[in-house]
Amino acid sequence: MEITLKLPRWNIEEVCGYKPLTTFWDDFSIADNFGIDAVCDTYNRAFQDWKTDYKYLTELIMVLNHKIWQHYEHNEPLARLYNTLWERAAQYAQENLKGDELTYYFVTTD
């Protein structure tokens, strides 16, 4: 059985000039199709694997934020989950990034 998923495009580069470094947007867009548990699993793997890479962590936080906006009108439970994950990751970044890494985070997410 072949499964075909239509993934939304993340137009972040057109909107603000940021060129994505990761596949996080697609990873979460795939997970969206399989529900809350899949989103949680995707987040846990991405966060554990990339929380020490400040650029990837920054992009993860950006994707989570954009996913809140993608879902808030049509899927409130998923939007709430993304909001919780975004808050958790953003708090981690603000508490653990230092110096130039923290500056990169704030400038990129502004």
Side-chain angles (χ1 to χ4, degrees):
M1 182 172 130
E2 185 176 314
I3 297 175
T4 304
L5 299 175
K6 183 174 166 92
L7 302 180
R9 188 172 164 275
W10 192 30
N11 65 343
I12 191 73
E13 194 167 1
E14 290 88 359
V15 170
C16 68
Y18 176 81
K19 183 167 177 58
L21 305 170
T22 73
T23 61
F24 291 151
W25 178 262
D26 288 341
D27 298 340
F28 282 100
S29 294
I30 292 167
D32 288 345
N33 289 282
F34 296 96
I36 286 178
D37 288 344
V39 171
C40 288
D41 182 60
T42 301
Y43 171 81
N44 289 334
R45 284 184 290 107
F47 184 77
Q48 287 299 18
D49 289 349
W50 298 109
K51 67 183 179 185
T52 59
D53 183 313
Y54 71 97
K55 288 185 178 182
Y56 279 29
L57 176 63
T58 298
E59 187 165 308
L60 175 61
I61 292 164
M62 291 170 63
V63 167
L64 296 170
N65 183 268
H66 283 243
K67 285 293 186 178
I68 297 166
W69 289 102
Q70 179 189 358
H71 293 293
Y72 85 98
E73 288 183 328
H74 307 290
N75 190 335
E76 187 175 333
L78 199 52
R80 286 185 185 278
L81 172 61
Y82 274 116
N83 189 71
T84 298
L85 299 175
W86 170 75
E87 286 175 344
R88 188 178 304 160
Q91 180 177 357
Y92 176 88
Q94 292 170 25
E95 291 174 355
N96 290 280
L97 297 179
K98 307 288 185 230
D100 290 342
E101 293 178 355
L102 187 60
T103 299
Y104 174 89
Y105 167 76
F106 282 125
V107 168
T108 304
T109 59
D110 184 21

